[in-house]
Amino acid sequence: MGVRIPHAKKDRANIDPDELVAFRKLAQAYGRISPSELEQALKEGDLLELSDDH
């Protein structure tokens, strides 16, 4: 997935309509992957799990 996120949300007041469309497509794609595909993507480094645990 070649999605580039150029700015952190804190750096901008809002996102452009084109960016919103891209984020929705990305969310749909993530919603279609199985738990095993997700695990594999994490293991291979294609995805990075983020946590806000302190």
Side-chain angles (χ1 to χ4, degrees):
M1 294 187 194
V3 177
R4 182 176 163 271
I5 302 174
H7 306 284
K9 176 63 179 155
K10 66 179 182 143
D11 295 337
R12 296 177 48 196
N14 213 340
I15 61 173
D16 298 328
D18 290 344
E19 292 171 318
L20 180 58
V21 169
F23 281 122
R24 286 181 174 160
K25 287 181 181 179
L26 182 60
Q28 289 174 348
Y30 282 132
R32 289 190 297 266
I33 63 174
S34 69
S36 62
E37 290 172 318
L38 177 60
E39 187 65 35
Q40 186 68 28
L42 288 167
K43 188 184 304 181
E44 292 178 359
D46 294 331
L47 292 177
L48 178 64
E49 184 173 1
L50 302 178
S51 174
D52 65 352
D53 293 341
H54 298 273

